[in-house]
Amino acid sequence: LSCPYNSTISFVLDRRYSMHSISYFWHLSRLIYGPRNFQENKRAVVFFARAVSNRALFEELYDFFDHYEPMKGFLEQHDPDFQEVMTRVFLFKNSTMRQRLDALKHHFTILRTFFSDEVIHELYWGNGYTLWTSPDESLPLEARLIFDTGQRKEGFLSLYLYHEGQMIYHFNFRFDYNVDGTPSVYIGTIQGSKHGLETTKVLTKKLFGYRPKNFILYLMRIFVQTLGIHDIYVITDEGFYTNSHMLRGNRSKKTNFNEFWIGEGAAPDGKEPWYYHLPIEERRRKYGEIKSQKRNLFRKRYLLMDTIIPPYIAAIKALFRQGFDPVPSAIDEASITDKPADYDPIEAPAK
């Protein structure tokens, strides 16, 4: 089964001639991992063994992408590493290959009901889309919707928040059907920059006390609302995929998910053992809930959101497939552009 590594690429790129043969999967494992070190060699062997013993599921994966127009050739020509999703325990704790394949198929099936084929192709083959850029030079922020293959462990799409071109926070998520069969969003992680602590402090001040971590969650909620989705499920500490490894545990997870989610109103869901159910709305505080000395800070924050959210929603809608015109699952105060003359952002207009 051994072969020169430099012959692997040409062999794998055309799987018509050795579809799912043992030799094909061996070459594929070497293409994905390469002869770099002991750990990579070990993963290559594991990939090979699991792929060969689950050839029917790989056949199902290939057949799905072969009939999915915007992703045709993706695994062969653009991102063969994506197939690692099949053989490694990603997405959530103790996930099976069957569950991960179903999750992948569900994600792309739902995705195509929202976005055009051209948009999907750009998300996965190209550079994604900027959904919002701050016009304020003193607040150089940008929100982008992209697929980053390095983030496939927790989801199949990402919402990034950049500051001066550097990632500050991002969500990895996927679309899937919940137990009731309703299209929903499943968030697999929220990650921050390893070197962004000082930047976070500066941005929190410029966002009038709004932490960037909460700001990107707000943007994620607006994204979900605009698509007409009613349910967000967020991964728990217990459900994080690294907990599948008995010895490793969750040592690679640096964030305490549960504390953050609960602080945002999330609660356990009896139908989803590894996820909390998160409200899709972030409710604005009213005068009675804000200390008098902080009311001006909140007023400025809400006024800032009033300028950010309308163009952000417009950018999301610009990606919609023709004929897709969902009723928003919630109406955020900042999305209301027809404000009364006596508008007060704290006592926001009735929805």
Side-chain angles (χ1 to χ4, degrees), residues 311-327:
Y312 175 70
I313 291 176
I316 296 170
K317 289 183 175 181
L319 307 181
F320 283 177
R321 174 176 288 275
Q322 186 175 2
F324 179 62
D325 187 21
V327 176

Side-chain angles (χ1 to χ4, degrees), residues 330-342:
I331 304 296
D332 188 84
E333 287 90 340
S335 69
I336 302 173
T337 56
D338 186 17
K339 303 287 200 302
D342 59 348

Side-chain angles (χ1 to χ4, degrees), residues 266-335:
D269 187 294
K271 299 177 182 179
E272 298 284 353
W274 304 131
Y275 295 86
Y276 286 162
H277 189 268
L278 180 75
I280 62 171
E281 295 182 82
E282 179 180 312
R283 190 178 62 85
R284 286 191 176 185
R285 298 185 190 182
K286 305 304 179 184
Y287 280 109
E289 303 170 285
I290 307 173
K291 293 180 179 179
S292 58
Q293 62 268 33
K294 289 190 175 182
R295 287 175 181 171
N296 190 47
L297 186 71
F298 275 85
R299 184 179 294 107
K300 290 179 179 179
R301 179 195 303 179
Y302 293 153
L303 286 172
L304 177 61
M305 296 305 113
D306 288 349
T307 67
I308 291 173
I309 297 307
Y312 175 70
I313 291 176
I316 296 170
K317 289 183 175 181
L319 307 181
F320 283 177
R321 174 176 288 275
Q322 186 175 2
F324 179 62
D325 187 21
V327 176
S329 52
I331 304 296
D332 188 84
E333 287 90 340
S335 69

